[in-house]
Amino acid sequence: MQLNDVLNSAADQERGAWLDLLDPVTWQPTGIKLRIAGPDSATARRARLKMADDLAELAGPDGRVTAEHRETCRKTALASLVLAWEVEEGGKPVPFSTANVLRLLSVLWVEEQVDAFAADRSKHLEA
């Protein structure tokens, strides 16, 4: 591997890779697909930096940040890694928006799958 391979890999991760959400019990595809930026992408870097800034702003006079605020910042950062989706509700496409992504991420098993996929470089090499 050469330097250009490393740099190109990081740049390629900006396109994202498709995650097919799996049912948490049967492990069968749910039909919900999310395009997620890779961990070495500029999008992921911006998400990490914004989360750090947001946490600093939310810190109280003693420097502490509540667990609720930390959780909100973490989920918002995770949501920002979702670049596109194929999601339906009532047989109609659900508009892609941060609010709707956060709504989907409010379900723990969805959040776990998105978080694991976003951190897995091997998933983004296949993109």
Side-chain angles (χ1 to χ4, degrees):
M1 185 176 279
Q2 297 182 23
L3 177 59
N4 61 323
D5 297 323
V6 173
L7 297 176
N8 288 338
S9 173
D12 287 346
Q13 289 185 36
E14 190 64 29
R15 287 191 326 251
W18 285 101
L19 162 66
D20 291 321
L21 280 179
L22 302 177
D23 181 282
V25 176
T26 66
W27 294 106
Q28 297 301 309
T30 63
I32 295 174
K33 296 180 180 184
L34 308 167
R35 190 160 186 89
I36 301 173
D40 301 316
S41 66
T43 296
R45 180 181 181 278
R46 286 190 302 273
R48 288 188 303 271
L49 293 173
K50 184 173 181 339
M51 183 172 66
D53 286 345
D54 291 348
L55 288 168
E57 287 181 24
L58 291 168
D62 61 357
R64 294 177 54 102
V65 179
T66 67
E68 184 175 344
H69 284 141
R70 283 193 306 273
E71 179 72 1
T72 298
C73 288
R74 190 185 60 72
K75 275 194 183 175
T76 301
L78 184 59
S80 70
L81 300 181
V82 180
L83 305 173
W85 73 359
E86 295 175 8
V87 179
E88 292 186 356
E89 186 172 42
K92 297 181 181 178
V94 177
F96 179 73
S97 69
T98 300
N100 282 336
V101 172
L102 286 168
R103 186 172 150 223
L104 182 61
L105 290 175
S106 70
V107 178
L108 183 59
W109 65 265
V110 172
E111 178 190 342
E112 291 171 345
Q113 287 184 41
V114 171
D115 194 28
F117 188 90
D120 188 345
R121 285 177 178 86
S122 69
K123 302 294 186 190
H124 299 278
L125 295 176
E126 301 165 4

